[in-house]
Amino acid sequence: MAAIVLSVYAWGKFNDLPSTDSLIVSEAAAILAGITIVASVVAYIAPIKKVLSASLAIYGLLLLMVIWLIMETGAVHSPFIALWMLSAAFAGLYGWVMVGPLGFLVIGYIVISVVSDGQLDQNDNLPALIIGGLLPLGLGMLIWYRNPTVERVKVKLAEANTTELHKVTNQSEIVINAIGDGVLAIDSQGIVRLINPAAQTIIGWSGKDAVTLDYKAVLQLATDDGQEIPMHLDPILQGLNTNQQYRTSDISILTSSGKRLLISIVVSPIGDPGDGVIVTFRDVTKEKAEEREQAEFISTASHEMRTPVASIEGYLGLALNPATAQIDDKARSYIEKAHEATQHLGRLFQDLLDISKSEDGRLTSNPQLIDVAKFTDDIIMGLKPQADQKGIHLGFKPSSKGASEKQLHPVYHISQDKDHLREVISNLTENAIKYTHTGEVLIDVTGDDGEVVISVKDSGIGIPAEDIPHLFQKFYRVDNSDTREINGTGLGLYLCRRLVESMNGRIWVESQYKSGSTFFVAIPRLTRAEADKLASEQPAEPQSAPEAAKQPAFEPQAPPPPPPTLSEIEQNPELYRQQMTQSHPRGRPAGGPIIRPRE
Ligand code: ADP
């Protein structure tokens, strides 16, 4: 259009038309036409980021040129009215933003013309004027607005708005499609919005069937034993409701062909709360089966090896016992080392057995009412000799405002398996003693209405910051000059974590390298009413093992049952292990074995 105007201008100049001719284009209009042409060409060639704004500006220039020309060449009588009709028809491309103001401009102009005398003459047909002014706008709106082609153009314009975004969008689609894990995008209403090819292969749904369906129809989640998943365990629902990341590997899905697969799933919220979640999952059925086989093997092997090791430990104990054997000092020092190593091996097998039990669900729990402060105190008393031997002060100081020794124990009740809790507390305390050369180990019990927190603080070697995140993993041991000389299996803290998790509790550590560490265990606390109710239901208990263990320090003890004889042990080496286990929950003998000589 601008080119037509420029041509008409040139034609007028060439033919030397009189300036009164209605077809004469003024210099101002010609300059505007020139600017419009240059701007269009530049916008077309140059890599402009804001294409939409540029196109709007150029369209504005065009309109300005057309209106200018019309006003200069006789307003409603101008021969260039046709240019208005042509250019106004494109206003619909930009929607009401452009059509609205232009409509008002046309109506305003007509109204002013009617009101002020002399603007319109008798021959002017008012309806034709209105139609000529407004019809192209209306038609343009009809043609362009909400027209799929225009929508596409708009999308194209928006995409072209930033070439980078365009590239990234393409790349992420390629990446999502190439990911081996299943990926689903689920909106705030739980509707599947995207499903990548890997997810389609795993669950057996095609993309076009799954998209727009409720996620529960597409991803039929179940517990790992195939039961329908309760709402509070549904990670997707949790992710949608709480806008937090959820991950679990104890879950399965039912594929479209009815096959059950164990999966590992991560649900990550996107954008603002309630915007939706991205779900990534993968089939871990094979890995889990392999893990189970591995655990079974470890469990069987540890069980089988524990018996001969107990027997070796027993014989070495006998060799070290002056009542059963006479050996010289050199032999004694060798046998003591062998005895120590056997004890370590025995501990390792015991830990492996406990862990495989906790991993394959064989760990049974027998919850009982526990007064945590008192229970902890009993365990600490049992471990005092171990600390004394190293010259470490072992203190138990439950936080309380009370003054007397009795009142020092605040009452924190929980309902948990006593053996499991004992295992955790003694393990942490034994570690604290083991990894402290001088100083003290302090145990505290604190809490609030919801939790009881047991803390074990030591002034020992501390843990380097980079090791802390891995500390509760299986077989993890800090490897540095401080720990190299200290024996261990790297299984104790892992077992503690498993046990604490089975109590719905938390375990964590705060440590300063070379200054000491504090391990914390938080366990859900019972209310007073719940504790009273449990106490009335629970039968009165015989004295607990640790209580019996601490008795020798204060009162004369009833004689223990006679220990097994050597020949009894020879026939059944497990007797030795049983005797040791009675004096320590994890079968860790504190000193030399007490075995009666062969009769
Ligand atoms: P281990 O049998 O080696 O003691 P654990 O699982 O009990 O196995 O502990 C894992 C590692 O954590 C240990 O090897 C040790 O490096 C570190 N650790 C545990 N408790 C303490 C502590 N109280 N102070 C310093 N380091 C500790």
Side-chain angles (χ1 to χ4, degrees):
M1 264 185 270
I4 291 171
V5 171
L6 215 54
S7 315
V8 175
Y9 169 75
W11 176 74
K13 277 265 166 214
F14 253 110
N15 293 306
D16 221 4
L17 285 185
S19 58
T20 47
D21 195 299
S22 62
L23 265 179
I24 200 78
V25 172
S26 71
E27 257 161 29
I31 292 171
L32 268 176
I35 297 175
T36 311
I37 292 173
V38 172
S40 310
V41 173
V42 168
Y44 188 75
I45 298 172
I48 291 176
K49 283 197 174 166
K50 297 195 170 168
V51 175
L52 199 63
S53 318
S55 117
L56 254 170
I58 292 166
Y59 185 64
L61 266 175
L62 182 78
L63 285 177
L64 190 67
M65 177 204 75
V66 171
I67 293 169
W68 187 284
L69 200 58
I70 289 173
M71 295 314 282
E72 273 188 343
T73 50
V76 291
H77 305 291
S78 166
F80 294 105
I81 281 285
L83 281 187
W84 159 257
M85 295 178 79
L86 203 59
S87 52
F90 287 94
L93 256 178
Y94 303 97
W96 287 110
V97 185
M98 187 56 87
V99 173
L102 284 181
F104 271 114
L105 204 76
V106 172
I107 293 169
Y109 178 72
I110 294 173
V111 170
I112 291 170
S113 306
V114 170
V115 174
S116 53
D117 282 350
Q119 290 279 338
L120 293 177
D121 56 38
Q122 295 298 314
N123 302 329
D124 283 329
N125 184 346
L126 194 62
L129 263 182
I130 298 172
I131 292 171
L134 295 178
L135 190 68
L137 292 175
L139 272 179
M141 198 65 186
L142 267 181
I143 297 169
W144 304 115
Y145 199 57
R146 298 231 176 275
N147 179 317
T149 322
V150 177
E151 291 298 309
R152 262 204 304 280
V153 170
K154 282 184 186 162
V155 170
K156 279 238 158 94
L157 285 174
E159 274 180 4
N161 230 351
T162 142
T163 21
E164 270 313 295
L165 179 70
H166 185 60
K167 270 192 215 151
V168 170
T169 315
N170 270 348
Q171 279 169 359
S172 32
E173 206 174 310
I174 294 170
V175 172
I176 289 171
N177 286 346
I179 290 175
D181 287 358
V183 180
L184 284 177
I186 295 173
D187 71 12
S188 55
Q189 306 302 312
I191 305 294
V192 175
R193 293 289 167 202
L194 177 149
I195 175 165
N196 77 337
Q200 295 173 30
T201 315
I202 297 173
I203 55 180
W205 278 74
S206 80
K208 64 177 183 331
D209 289 342
V211 170
T212 70
L213 284 186
D214 190 292
Y215 81 87
K216 285 189 182 132
V218 180
L219 214 58
Q220 295 181 45
L221 298 175
T223 57
D224 55 357
D225 52 1
Q227 305 293 316
E228 196 185 331
I229 195 149
M231 268 163 62
H232 71 279
L233 290 181
D234 181 337
I236 299 178
L237 207 59
Q238 295 298 317
L240 285 171
N241 288 345
T242 61
N243 208 44
Q244 281 178 3
Q245 194 183 68
Y246 278 84
R247 58 175 69 224
T248 176
S249 299
D250 303 326
I251 206 166
S252 64
I253 48 164
L254 210 61
T255 66
S256 63
S257 60
K259 208 164 125 194
R260 197 163 67 78
L261 300 175
L262 294 172
I263 57 161
S264 157
I265 189 168
V266 181
V267 179
S268 313
I270 38 168
D272 294 327
D275 276 358
V277 290
I278 298 288
V279 179
T280 47
F281 63 97
R282 78 197 155 87
D283 178 6
V284 290
T285 316
K286 209 166 146 229
E287 286 164 38
K288 289 259 177 179
E290 279 168 8
E291 259 176 38
R292 214 177 18 255
E293 274 171 26
Q294 221 174 39
E296 264 168 31
F297 172 75
I298 291 176
S299 166
T300 318
S302 320
H303 189 79
E304 291 303 318
M305 286 192 259
R306 201 175 55 150
T307 313
V309 166
S311 159
I312 297 168
E313 201 180 325
Y315 282 117
L316 292 175
L318 286 172
L320 287 171
N321 191 340
T324 49
Q326 300 300 315
I327 48 172
D328 64 26
D329 288 348
K330 208 164 190 180
R332 174 171 293 280
S333 80
Y334 295 151
I335 293 177
E336 267 169 2
K337 285 200 175 70
H339 191 232
E340 235 173 65
T342 327
Q343 280 179 334
H344 176 64
L345 206 58
R347 268 202 303 273
L348 177 67
F349 290 142
Q350 188 60 48
D351 283 348
L352 282 171
L353 260 178
D354 289 345
I355 282 169
S356 65
K357 266 192 203 164
S358 81
E359 281 178 343
D360 63 16
R362 276 184 298 131
L363 198 74
T364 50
S365 172
N366 173 25
Q368 279 177 290
L369 182 67
I370 304 175
D371 171 355
V372 182
K374 188 170 176 303
F375 187 78
T376 309
D377 193 11
D378 290 342
I379 296 169
I380 305 307
M381 292 306 290
L383 292 171
K384 256 199 176 316
Q386 216 170 309
D388 290 345
Q389 215 175 13
K390 269 190 95 175
I392 290 168
H393 168 71
L394 180 63
F396 177 54
K397 214 170 184 329
S399 304
S400 168
K401 294 183 183 79
S404 79
E405 182 68 25
K406 279 275 168 234
Q407 283 169 332
L408 270 177
H409 292 185
V411 182
Y412 295 111
H413 277 126
I414 59 170
S415 171
Q416 297 296 347
D417 187 298
K418 287 191 168 182
D419 286 340
H420 295 175
L421 184 65
R422 185 179 299 118
E423 176 82 48
V424 172
I425 299 173
S426 46
N427 212 341
L428 295 180
T429 314
E430 280 175 327
N431 269 355
I433 298 170
K434 189 161 88 171
Y435 295 105
T436 300
H437 299 309
T438 53
E440 59 178 7
V441 173
L442 279 179
I443 289 88
D444 197 357
V445 176
T446 55
D448 56 26
D449 288 346
E451 284 181 329
V452 183
V453 180
I454 305 161
S455 63
V456 181
K457 181 173 188 230
D458 64 57
S459 58
I461 59 173
I463 302 158
E466 66 270 21
D467 288 299
I468 290 182
H470 311 284
L471 220 57
F472 297 94
Q473 289 168 4
K474 208 193 287 189
F475 292 116
Y476 193 85
R477 302 205 69 219
V478 177
D479 184 19
N480 58 28
S481 53
D482 302 311
T483 55
R484 226 153 278 156
E485 297 297 306
I486 307 174
N487 268 336
T489 61
L491 289 171
L493 289 181
Y494 174 72
L495 184 62
C496 286
R497 172 166 76 82
R498 300 285 311 198
L499 292 174
V500 172
E501 281 171 357
S502 76
M503 299 180 205
N504 292 324
R506 300 176 292 131
I507 182 164
W508 71 101
V509 62
E510 287 169 9
S511 183
Q512 194 79 44
Y513 184 43
K514 300 230 183 253
S515 303
S517 318
T518 310
F519 283 81
F520 298 89
V521 171
I523 301 165
R525 183 183 180 181
L526 292 180
T527 62
R528 184 75 183 263
E530 286 168 337
D532 288 347
K533 188 163 172 276
L534 273 181
S536 63
E537 285 167 3
Q538 212 163 280
E541 238 190 76
Q543 204 170 32
S544 66
E547 267 181 325
K550 77 171 183 182
Q551 272 181 357
F554 307 101
E555 290 166 25
Q557 201 185 3
T565 64
L566 192 54
S567 52
E568 279 166 352
I569 284 181
E570 269 173 353
Q571 277 160 22
N572 181 8
E574 185 62 10
L575 275 179
Y576 174 78
R577 164 71 50 195
Q578 281 166 11
Q579 189 196 345
M580 292 298 105
T581 340
Q582 276 163 18
S583 62
H584 192 283
R586 291 175 75 197
R588 296 181 179 192
I594 326 149
I595 294 173
R596 280 188 291 140
R598 197 190 290 268
E599 278 162 355

